[in-house]
Amino acid sequence: VREHRRKEIAGLWWMKASLASSWPIAATVPLTTAAISLSLYLVINGELPSAPDTLAVLAAARFMYFPFAFFGSLLGSLNMLFAVTGRIGALLLQPELSSL
């Protein structure tokens, strides 16, 4: 039982970590993507892109926020599901329940 509880606590820790890190990571993705894209354009071409191209890069980078934000929540929910089903599975394997 203690070994199962240790696995459960590890699963819950990963759930909390993925939920806590999803929003900070999602918030930095558009900024980082735009900075890298504009920096590469500057290094390759020697000048910044035109205003419409710059706004298009910023708009495209902004939409990358959503997949990263919801992916962390999905991972947290899956870890919670695995922890709960593991606990139910361990409960159902108890000798007291096998006689039912």
Side-chain angles (χ1 to χ4, degrees):
V1 174
R2 288 181 192 262
E3 180 63 31
H4 178 71
R5 180 68 179 154
R6 198 172 300 123
K7 289 179 186 177
E8 183 181 85
I9 289 174
L12 291 174
W13 185 87
W14 281 109
M15 177 210 53
K16 290 177 184 179
S18 62
L19 285 173
S21 64
S22 65
W23 292 107
I25 290 172
T28 59
V29 167
L31 176 65
T32 307
T33 304
I36 290 172
S37 300
L38 294 176
S39 298
L40 283 175
Y41 191 93
L42 181 64
V43 168
I44 293 170
N45 296 322
E47 62 184 6
L48 287 174
S50 63
D53 290 340
T54 303
L55 292 175
V57 167
L58 293 175
R62 180 68 182 118
F63 283 109
M64 297 179 88
Y65 173 80
F66 295 109
F68 282 93
F70 294 117
F71 186 66
S73 299
L74 174 69
L75 286 179
S77 299
L78 287 176
N79 280 327
M80 188 183 325
L81 176 70
F82 291 144
V84 168
T85 55
R87 182 173 236 190
I88 291 172
L91 176 68
L92 292 175
L93 292 174
Q94 295 297 318
E96 295 85 13
L97 293 177
S98 63
S99 63
L100 296 176

